[in-house]
Amino acid sequence: MIRKKSKKGAFIALTCVVAFLALIVLMENLTALVPGAPAVFKPTSQLFVVLKKTAVYALAAVSMNLLTGFTGLFSLGTAGFMLLGAYTYAILTVPMASKDQVYYLFGGSAVKFSLPDLFGGADTVPGLVLGVLIAIILAGCVATVFAWLIGLPVLRLKSDYLAIATLGFAEIIRAVFQWQKLGPVTNGANMLKNFPIFSSFNIKDAGGKVILRLSTFVPFLIAIVCIALIVMLINSSYGRAFKSIREDEIAAEAMGINLFKHKQMSFCISAFFTGIAGALFAMYATNAQAKPFTSAMTYEILLIVVIGGIGSVTGSCLATFLYVACSEWWLRFLDNEIILASGLKVPFLRAGFRMVVFSIIIMVVVLFFRRGIMGTKELPDLFKRKRKEGAK
Amino acid sequence: MEYIISVLLSGVSVGGQYALIAIGYTMVYGILRLINFAHGDVFMVAGLMGIYLSASMPLYVALPLVIVLTAVLAFCIERVAYKPLRSAPRMSVMISAIGVSYLLQNTATYITGAQPMTYPTIPFLSDTVVIAGTPTKWAVLLTPVLVLALVIGLTQLINHTKVGMAMRAVSKDFETAQLMGIKINNTISATFVIGSLLAAVGSVLYFTNYTAVTPTIGALPGLKAFVAAVFGGIGSIPGAVIGAFIIGICETIIKGLPAAWDVSVFSDAFTFALLIIVLVFKPTGLFGEKATDKV
């Protein structure tokens, strides 16, 4: 499918994105503007936790989709690259003032600078924005370098062997980062903390009172910029080369596509954005440690990609929101015991039941929507079809 | 010397336990080309069933019942989660496996209340025996013997019975086998049942050694057993067994290295490093069949 480049389409997409970002800012500040706003929009509401996590996971899912859905490389290294990104970000942005406190077990850090402090400290606007931005980009770069190195031997493998080799790589990285001897840099098995997080971006007045909340806007902005870059890549000539590799490696090679070079490129670019997602994850979790980056995390993101539809960017984003909201928010009532008015206790409800129901929902989706909720379609495609049907 | 013997002994026994799980992975992969991510969790469920059943009935009833129930569980999983997807893309089936793994883990968390449970002590298996001056459990000694016996039995089954022949045919070519009148669904179910029987035996041996059972305990042994299967060339049963023994022994040796080197965190990482190295030089594992692409 070759899509004609149309300025109109790009313009509509841009407007939608800007409107969406404005909506996010509005939602987060609704309680400050309108006193009687519903409780969902309170800053402490689960809604914003879900939205932040959605932004982080959507980026990770889309970059996995670039690899699995568009290049046909089945890699399970996502958690490893996210870990690299999270640690790079955290190591570079822990403020000088709290280094001794964070690294107290190792008598201070081996990294004698902190990016936000170089630009005037994390309390100032240039220090925060420039420091965080550079750290995030470097997080992506570190993941890319490792991806390039691991890609050299591993990308020659086929399908499942590639998957298990990248999964192994992620586990190796996790072990290395927990090694006590690297403690002065990675803080061993302990967590890194006190670095700038999403809520550091809230604009405060002199008294420390929050004027404008941007803590949900920032992850969305970064994620949307990255996803837009990925979409532009997919629609470029490189993207078409990737898709041809997915369809048939041998035919693609016969058409003059350098298989290894393109696979390596796709792998590295995907790792770059996964690294950025990792940095965002560190900001979301307000700490960085190796524990959460297990293979279970990779499976989670793989689930999201497949539920959204392999080869659909908007599908991945949509599925991320549904997945995160379902697991963290909508089903939460199942964890508490409910006693009906007649004194009857609703059976089964107690801690842990939410996840059982959630996994049953996942199984149902997997069994009945084989191609995911979107298939290989994008969101605009759905509108197009509707318009055509309407014209008939 | 005694130290070396004890390390080697536990290495061989860990390897044997991985081998019992790895056979399940390799057989299913051989037939369906599916990485059965739920296999490690079936192993965990077998452990939990051992705990609950042995609390209410004598061990000589409970243990065979555990093995039978595990087979029933695997049969149901195959029928519900994998069979409807037989014609779907390979990725969907794998996702279904991940979904089943989620379901088993979450259900186990729900039932146990996320508390680690303690595996019952099995008389004889848990007794201590002294070999060359090193005390060890009977389970450790029995594991390799039992593994060898089961593997020999299994190869006999695959090479000399009708079911075995059907399995070999299905793993060679799915559609042709169907045309030759082989009941594919029964054959696949049989594969799952055999794999889970072995995993149940493995769980009895494994949890006699490490008695705490948690809902996520199946993940790591499962992953390592899968690595063992890939290492030996996935689809090949002797390959899986040899791979499992190599990985088990290497892992315990690294764990047993002097504490001053501080390398024990790498015992899992080493498994994967070994895997990557082997795959780079032999992309289909040690005993794997070489796949040829037709244009």
Side-chain angles (χ1 to χ4, degrees):
Chain A
M1 188 184 68
I2 298 167
R3 201 175 298 158
K4 269 191 185 167
K5 278 181 196 167
S6 67
K7 278 195 177 149
K8 199 179 146 205
F11 182 72
I12 293 175
L14 195 67
T15 324
C16 287
V17 165
V18 170
F20 179 69
L21 284 174
L23 183 72
I24 294 280
V25 177
L26 184 70
M27 277 206 305
E28 210 179 6
N29 293 289
L30 201 61
T31 30
L33 299 172
V34 189
V40 191
F41 296 110
K42 274 192 184 145
T44 47
S45 155
Q46 199 73 29
L47 170 70
F48 297 107
V49 179
V50 166
L51 283 178
K52 284 173 202 168
K53 198 173 178 189
T54 302
V56 177
Y57 270 41
L59 181 55
V62 171
S63 33
M64 189 189 228
N65 210 341
L66 171 69
L67 209 54
T68 325
F70 291 97
T71 323
L73 291 176
F74 184 31
S75 149
L76 291 177
T78 303
F81 294 124
M82 281 181 83
L83 185 147
L84 284 169
Y87 264 90
T88 312
Y89 173 78
I91 289 166
L92 291 177
T93 53
V94 173
M96 295 308 281
S98 48
K99 282 225 165 176
D100 284 338
Q101 186 209 335
V102 171
Y103 288 93
Y104 74 98
L105 279 176
F106 300 94
S109 165
V111 182
K112 295 287 178 212
F113 64 95
S114 158
L115 282 174
D117 285 350
L118 290 183
F119 299 102
D123 306 329
T124 58
V125 175
L128 185 66
V129 175
L130 276 178
V132 168
L133 198 63
I134 294 176
I136 283 180
I137 292 173
L138 283 177
C141 293
V142 168
T144 314
V145 170
F146 275 85
W148 188 78
L149 286 176
I150 191 74
L152 286 179
V154 156
L155 283 179
R156 295 176 199 284
L157 301 173
K158 292 263 154 65
S159 65
D160 293 337
Y161 292 98
L162 175 67
I164 201 73
T166 43
L167 186 67
F169 159 75
E171 292 286 321
I172 294 174
I173 289 281
R174 198 159 64 90
V176 170
F177 273 78
Q178 281 177 321
W179 196 23
Q180 290 293 322
K181 294 208 169 152
L182 286 176
V185 182
T186 63
N187 210 11
N190 317 300
M191 60 170 71
L192 290 162
K193 51 189 183 205
N194 291 350
F195 47 79
I197 53 172
F198 291 145
S199 56
S200 317
F201 288 93
N202 288 341
I203 297 173
K204 293 178 188 150
D205 62 8
K209 198 170 156 284
V210 179
I211 310 169
L212 186 63
R213 290 184 187 278
L214 292 176
S215 63
T216 317
F217 168 73
V218 170
F220 268 96
L221 182 69
I222 299 172
I224 284 178
V225 168
C226 292
I227 291 174
L229 287 175
I230 295 176
V231 170
M232 271 147 68
L233 176 82
I234 289 170
N235 289 335
S236 72
S237 63
Y238 289 113
R240 284 197 289 279
F242 292 162
K243 282 181 206 162
S244 71
I245 293 176
R246 170 190 68 184
E247 297 301 334
D248 192 330
E249 284 196 4
I250 298 167
E253 205 171 16
M255 298 299 283
I257 290 168
N258 185 340
L259 271 191
F260 186 73
K261 194 183 125 201
H262 279 86
K263 280 184 180 177
Q264 181 74 288
M265 185 192 284
S266 171
F267 193 59
C268 288
I269 292 172
S270 166
F272 178 80
F273 290 112
T274 314
I276 291 182
L280 292 181
F281 186 83
M283 292 165 97
Y284 162 77
T286 70
N287 63 61
Q289 57 173 339
K291 222 183 247 162
F293 297 97
T294 51
S295 47
M297 190 185 214
T298 311
Y299 298 155
E300 228 177 352
I301 292 166
L302 182 66
L303 261 178
I304 291 174
V305 170
V306 174
I307 288 175
I310 299 170
S312 165
V313 173
T314 40
S316 294
C317 299
L318 210 62
T320 314
F321 177 71
L322 293 177
Y323 183 94
V324 175
C326 230
S327 67
E328 308 253 326
W329 186 26
W330 292 338
L331 294 178
R332 206 156 267 277
F333 69 94
L334 290 171
D335 267 359
N336 306 317
E337 290 181 349
I338 300 174
I339 295 165
L340 297 177
S342 54
L344 271 176
K345 227 167 81 174
V346 181
F348 301 123
L349 294 189
R350 66 179 150 96
F353 192 58
R354 169 177 59 112
M355 291 314 284
V356 175
V357 173
F358 178 59
S359 27
I360 291 173
I361 293 178
I362 294 229
M363 282 309 297
V364 169
V365 172
V366 168
L367 287 178
F368 294 101
F369 294 83
R370 294 179 181 189
R371 308 209 153 265
I373 47 179
M374 299 287 284
T376 50
K377 291 191 192 74
E378 298 291 347
L379 205 51
D381 296 346
L382 295 182
F383 291 121
K384 262 179 216 159
R385 201 180 52 190
K386 267 188 195 151
R387 218 177 293 153
K388 261 183 205 163
E389 279 168 7
K392 276 176 196 171
Chain B
M1 189 60 206
E2 280 169 15
Y3 184 67
I4 294 172
I5 288 178
S6 81
V7 166
L8 276 183
L9 264 180
S10 67
V12 170
S13 109
V14 170
Q17 287 144 13
Y18 288 160
L20 288 175
I21 313 174
I23 291 171
Y25 273 112
T26 213
M27 284 177 70
V28 167
Y29 190 90
I31 287 193
L32 283 183
R33 299 279 173 269
L34 158 74
I35 306 178
N36 184 9
F37 282 110
H39 195 60
D41 299 292
V42 169
F43 167 79
M44 175 271 298
V45 171
L48 279 183
M49 285 201 290
I51 292 170
Y52 282 110
L53 287 181
S54 63
S56 56
M57 52 185 82
L59 271 177
Y60 56 86
V61 185
L63 289 186
L65 199 59
V66 165
I67 294 174
V68 172
L69 284 180
T70 313
V72 172
L73 175 74
F75 177 78
C76 295
I77 290 175
E78 198 274 322
R79 280 291 146 107
V80 173
Y82 303 149
K83 194 181 157 226
L85 296 175
R86 201 121 309 150
S87 58
R90 233 157 53 92
M91 187 73 101
S92 321
V93 193
M94 195 154 71
I95 294 303
S96 186
I98 294 181
V100 172
S101 149
Y102 252 55
L103 184 61
L104 290 181
Q105 278 182 19
N106 289 329
T107 315
T109 314
Y110 175 65
I111 290 171
T112 61
Q115 295 296 318
M117 312 285 283
T118 317
Y119 207 71
T121 35
I122 297 168
F124 183 66
L125 276 185
S126 306
D127 291 351
T128 318
V129 63
V130 179
I131 296 279
T134 47
T136 176
K137 283 183 181 173
W138 270 109
V140 172
L141 278 187
L142 268 182
T143 308
V145 181
L146 200 61
V147 170
L148 281 185
L150 285 172
V151 167
I152 290 170
L154 189 60
T155 35
Q156 292 301 313
L157 177 95
I158 286 179
N159 289 331
H160 299 290
T161 62
K162 238 180 164 179
V163 186
M165 197 193 274
M167 280 177 188
R168 279 181 289 145
V170 174
S171 72
K172 268 272 184 289
D173 192 328
F174 214 85
E175 280 157 7
T176 317
Q178 206 167 12
L179 289 176
M180 297 296 157
I182 292 172
K183 291 200 175 63
I184 289 218
N185 289 329
N186 293 356
T187 314
I188 292 172
S189 296
T191 316
F192 272 86
V193 165
I194 292 174
S196 62
L197 285 180
L198 295 176
V201 176
S203 89
V204 173
L205 296 170
Y206 185 88
F207 292 121
T208 309
N209 257 352
Y210 310 93
T211 49
V213 186
T214 57
T216 50
I217 193 125
L220 201 57
L223 197 57
K224 279 193 198 150
F226 180 67
V227 167
V230 176
F231 189 87
I234 195 151
S236 140
I237 290 174
V241 174
I242 291 171
F245 275 117
I246 293 178
I247 282 176
I249 292 172
C250 287
E251 187 191 309
T252 28
I253 288 178
I254 290 188
K255 271 188 189 153
L257 285 177
W261 296 359
D262 196 22
V263 288
S264 60
V265 279
F266 290 117
S267 69
D268 299 340
F270 179 78
T271 311
F272 295 107
L274 199 67
L275 171 82
I276 292 178
I277 294 168
V278 167
L279 285 185
V280 166
F281 290 105
K282 273 192 75 88
T284 49
L286 289 180
F287 299 91
E289 289 168 26
K290 205 162 185 269
T292 42
D293 282 338
K294 282 181 209 149
V295 181

